[in-house]
Amino acid sequence: MTTAEKVAALTGTEVQELETEFVVAPEHHFALAELLQSEGYTFYITVAATHFAGEVPNKKNPEGSPETFQVATVLRKPEPGASSFACWRVELAAGEPIDSLVPLFEGADWQGREQFDLVGVVFKNHPDLRRLMMPEDWEGHPLRRDYAIETAHPPWR
Amino acid sequence: MSLSIQPYSAEQPVNPYLDVDLYDPDADLMVLNLGPQHPSTHGVFRVKLILDGEVIVKAIGYPGYLHRGVEKLCEKLNYSNIKAIIDKNDYISPMINEQAVNMAFEKLAGVEVPRRALWLRSLLAEFQRIASHLIALGTFGLDVGGALGGGASAFMYCFRDREMILDVFEELSGCRFHYNTHCVGGNRHDVPAGWDRMVLPALEVIEARLDELVDMMVNNQVFVDRTQGVGVIPKNLALGLGLTGPNGRASGIDCDLRRDAPYNAYGEVEVRPAVRSAGDCQARFLCRVDEIRESARLARLFLAGLPEGPISGTKPNKGPTSVKIKEGRCYVGLSTPRGELGTYLIAGGNKGLSPYRLKIRPPSLHHLASIPYILPGNNLSDAIAILGSLDPVMGEADR
């Protein structure tokens, strides 16, 4: 059984190639990372959260659409000669938390904090979820789509 | 009550979330802020150290003093404008930073890059790697002690040698630092006539002087005492933290994207990354020394084999809106002097003219994330050596 088949069996989605981003349900996120770690994907690479602003009902989209988040995780297999990576994403509704990978990978600590700080995705079971880049008393999450670059702030010290 | 904290080892890992009582009169702990403006932090990085006498009990890192919101800016800029600000991320190796985002754009746009441009990019990357490692070695000498033979003097020698590479780049692109020479589909500047007469002697001089530098530092007993066995990062911790580049290879992770996932022209030559198993400050230093030698060898190969042909696959940019990517998403990683610089790109913002989301994976931030694990149990003076040996660049860690 190849790794891609095992991943497909676990998540119930069709996975052709691990390097092409595939979608995973939030409840399978942690188990998938555990499976991939045992399959040799032991190198923690990155996590990237993205905010998709919802739409208010308009002419083109009479129903409107809710605001959503996507969190992509990348793990690498450090094999001499032929290294490959696995990239998957989890789609979340607004306010829905995602499992933190800190119990498996120490690097998920700061990376998770950065995404929490800039995008506002909440990581469950994170031991120390604080802002990383912005000042502690900053309001809002700057990498959200509805956060305008021109947003005025009192001068920071 | 006295706290006995041992340095990180596989058998006895350090708990970075240790709960310490700062007001316990028996423990008598002290809080010391190292940085943000401290020369050993190589930029503005603050570490809050909790000390028991001279031994570190707990270390808390505070990055973010140089946060400029690059990822947010990228969502507003056109594709051809982005590389100019990505240059400033890792300001020690801007040449490779440009390549990283360009590779992601080319992958999604489906642009073919001519072979000459690929070889030229690899050649420039190897030069930049030498220049970047020279800074790492020189500043590490400064961190370990200017009073040692080979402290401040090594720093000056390294900067003198790096100057030659900056001259080479200036001859090519007109800029000494932020080159802006890569564009989507190729390069902007072709090699000027007689460039090799400038490049080859520079490589020879650097290689010859590198031996002197190693003599000065690695063969110095004071340097050995301060680096050997200090700040050991076991392989498992390095994997979990995502330590790439020389820092990871010094801990025994045999992974180099130039060899294992070849991009540019690296698939056509043999790359021999330097791997060590000790994982201490000295191993990280020696990995960088070996990488300079390897880069000089590769640079000669790339220069000798530079193929003829066009330098860019696309027509010259008529305006900033000439690159359009409607949709798609990808992750692309390449090997910078510090480690794997990844670009996670979701295209399709601003009607295809800008990225919807551009996430940069900075190797330095992962390296800094290791300090809560490896500083406790060490002396305060060793903290400086460990921070220096990680060679972080705050410009890319904070972005």
Side-chain angles (χ1 to χ4, degrees), chain B residues 317-396:
Chain B
N317 273 359
K318 291 228 176 70
T321 56
S322 56
V323 184
K324 243 185 185 181
I325 308 173
K326 282 282 177 213
E327 59 177 357
R329 47 178 80 208
C330 70
Y331 173 81
V332 175
L334 59 65
S335 165
T336 76
R338 261 148 282 282
E340 176 173 346
L341 178 66
T343 310
Y344 177 79
L345 173 67
I346 301 181
N350 193 12
K351 296 182 184 119
L353 292 173
S354 317
Y356 189 84
R357 171 88 162 97
L358 183 77
K359 152 90 179 157
I360 294 156
R361 179 219 190 256
S364 290
L365 187 63
H366 288 254
H367 298 165
L368 289 174
S370 70
I371 56 138
Y373 293 89
I374 56 173
L375 286 194
N378 286 298
N379 275 345
L380 177 59
S381 56
D382 290 339
I384 311 291
I386 294 169
L387 268 173
S389 76
L390 290 174
D391 183 29
V393 171
M394 294 319 293
E396 78 168 355

Side-chain angles (χ1 to χ4, degrees), chain A residues 119-137:
Chain A
V119 188
V121 172
V122 176
F123 288 83
K124 250 190 298 183
N125 301 332
H126 192 290
D128 185 24
L129 198 60
R130 288 179 289 129
R131 283 187 182 271
L132 187 74
M133 292 292 169
M134 310 302 287
E136 286 163 17
D137 52 357

Side-chain angles (χ1 to χ4, degrees), chain B residues 93-360:
Chain B
S93 60
M95 200 63 111
I96 308 184
N97 275 252
E98 293 175 18
Q99 277 180 31
V101 284
N102 263 328
M103 267 169 64
F105 299 163
E106 280 156 7
K107 188 174 177 185
L108 282 194
V111 177
E112 192 85 6
V113 184
R115 196 156 166 264
R116 185 180 172 83
L118 291 180
W119 278 67
L120 185 58
R121 284 177 182 190
S122 313
L123 172 63
L124 296 176
E126 291 312 317
F127 274 126
Q128 186 71 83
R129 198 179 306 272
I130 296 174
S132 170
H133 280 338
L134 280 174
I135 287 202
L137 301 186
T139 48
F140 186 48
L142 208 60
D143 288 338
V144 170
L148 303 178
S153 42
F155 177 70
M156 293 299 170
Y157 289 150
C158 284
F159 266 73
R160 176 191 64 185
D161 298 350
R162 172 176 169 267
E163 204 62 23
M164 287 189 291
I165 293 182
L166 294 192
D167 288 345
V168 163
F169 283 156
E170 188 181 8
E171 193 72 16
L172 178 96
S173 70
C175 307
R176 291 174 62 77
F177 222 69
H178 297 303
Y179 309 104
N180 207 358
T181 181
H182 299 79
C183 59
V184 177
N187 279 28
R188 280 170 65 211
H189 306 104
D190 205 344
V191 172
W195 197 53
D196 54 340
R197 285 199 294 276
M198 187 175 190
V199 169
L200 291 172
L203 283 179
E204 250 165 57
V205 171
I206 286 172
E207 277 194 308
R209 285 179 181 168
L210 189 64
D211 292 332
E212 286 177 28
L213 184 77
V214 173
D215 267 348
M216 232 172 5
M217 298 180 70
V218 182
N219 297 343
N220 180 338
Q221 190 54 40
V222 184
F223 181 84
V224 173
D225 287 347
R226 293 221 41 202
T227 55
Q228 208 169 42
V230 173
V232 178
I233 307 181
K235 189 178 172 184
N236 269 346
L237 178 67
L239 282 169
L241 283 166
L243 293 199
T244 44
N247 292 344
R249 286 194 281 278
S251 296
I253 303 174
D254 191 3
C255 180
D256 188 334
L257 296 189
R258 290 179 292 166
R259 181 197 62 189
D260 300 339
Y263 54 95
N264 287 358
Y266 290 111
E268 300 178 50
V269 297
E270 190 204 355
V271 183
R272 298 189 288 246
V275 182
R276 282 168 192 267
S277 55
D280 55 2
C281 292
Q282 195 187 27
R284 291 193 274 277
F285 180 89
L286 290 173
C287 262
R288 293 203 173 88
V289 172
D290 292 345
E291 272 194 15
I292 293 184
R293 295 212 176 91
E294 170 70 6
S295 288
R297 185 184 73 85
L298 286 174
R300 283 208 184 84
L301 279 182
F302 287 133
L303 191 64
L306 198 65
E308 291 294 323
I311 196 81
S312 176
T314 52
K315 286 177 196 152
N317 273 359
K318 291 228 176 70
T321 56
S322 56
V323 184
K324 243 185 185 181
I325 308 173
K326 282 282 177 213
E327 59 177 357
R329 47 178 80 208
C330 70
Y331 173 81
V332 175
L334 59 65
S335 165
T336 76
R338 261 148 282 282
E340 176 173 346
L341 178 66
T343 310
Y344 177 79
L345 173 67
I346 301 181
N350 193 12
K351 296 182 184 119
L353 292 173
S354 317
Y356 189 84
R357 171 88 162 97
L358 183 77
K359 152 90 179 157
I360 294 156

Side-chain angles (χ1 to χ4, degrees), chain A residues 21 49 81 109 114 145 147, chain B residues 17 72 260 344 356-357 399:
Chain A
E21 193 176 305
D109 181 352
E114 190 193 350
R145 293 300 288 196
Y147 187 101
Chain B
Y17 312 109
K72 185 74 179 173
D260 300 339
Y344 177 79
Y356 189 84
R357 171 88 162 97
R399 303 186 306 296

Side-chain angles (χ1 to χ4, degrees), chain B residues 13-52:
Chain B
V14 163
N15 174 17
Y17 312 109
L18 183 74
D19 199 11
V20 289
D21 182 7
L22 287 175
Y23 301 103
D24 182 0
D26 296 326
D28 195 19
L29 300 176
M30 181 182 134
V31 177
L32 182 75
N33 267 308
L34 186 71
Q37 269 95 7
H38 190 280
S40 81
T41 57
H42 294 211
V44 275
F45 177 60
R46 174 175 153 223
V47 197
K48 193 166 148 190
L49 297 172
I50 295 167
L51 298 168
D52 179 13

